[in-house]
Amino acid sequence: MKPIISHQDYKTIYSLIQDMPSSQRTKEMGQLQQELDSAARVEESEIAESIIRLNSYFEVKDQASGKTLQLRLVLPKQANLAEQKLSILSPLGVALIGFGEGMVVDWVLPGGPKKLEIIKVVNTPLEAKV
């Protein structure tokens, strides 16, 4: 299963990683770089509305626990879990970018290996995002 990333998101995330001082680079950044490298890169207009990308709202379910999370995937400076805004550099953000509704993603998170089912994805037009 290969993630799908828009050229615009690829450039934004790649620049974020490259601009990060090496002293601040994390394991997740390396994993994100691998995801970017393996991703199918397409034009924004070619990505289905059901694919998680930057600024997507999504609902994901841990298949083992049944716990459901509703979050928005954002750049690190916008991240705020109290507002349900998840950084692209977080383990969960790295795991889910580029995947879509109905998919089950296997990923090792800090709490251990997880099977995460993407229940719903909502992408709003850029001008509607605050």
Side-chain angles (χ1 to χ4, degrees):
M1 193 164 51
K2 197 171 174 179
I4 301 170
I5 308 270
S6 73
H7 290 295
Q8 182 178 340
D9 279 1
Y10 177 86
K11 289 178 196 171
T12 300
I13 298 166
Y14 187 82
S15 292
L16 175 71
I17 293 170
Q18 295 306 309
D19 293 344
M20 188 71 61
S22 58
S23 61
Q24 294 180 9
R25 293 195 182 191
T26 63
K27 176 181 90 169
E28 287 76 27
M29 291 178 82
Q31 290 173 320
L32 182 56
Q33 182 67 57
Q34 289 176 343
E35 288 291 296
L36 290 175
D37 291 343
S38 72
R41 291 185 288 255
V42 299
E43 294 302 320
E44 187 78 29
S45 61
E46 296 174 13
I47 295 183
E49 286 295 311
S50 61
I51 299 292
I52 296 174
R53 50 191 175 249
L54 285 176
N55 294 309
S56 293
Y57 291 93
F58 63 90
E59 183 175 337
V60 65
K61 179 180 180 181
D62 179 334
Q63 289 195 321
S65 71
K67 184 177 180 182
T68 302
L69 298 171
Q70 296 174 338
L71 300 164
R72 179 176 173 194
L73 190 64
V74 298
L75 293 172
K77 64 184 176 187
Q78 299 167 316
N80 182 335
L81 285 179
E83 296 176 4
Q84 297 177 303
K85 294 179 180 178
L86 179 74
S87 170
I88 182 60
L89 297 181
S90 69
L92 186 58
V94 172
L96 297 177
I97 188 149
F99 295 104
E101 282 180 23
M103 294 182 174
V104 176
V105 178
D106 291 309
W107 201 261
V108 178
L109 297 172
K114 301 284 182 189
K115 279 189 182 292
L116 304 164
E117 180 181 0
I118 302 169
I119 305 295
K120 183 177 182 180
V121 178
V122 176
N123 286 291
T124 55
L126 191 57
E127 58 274 5
K129 294 173 187 166
V130 180

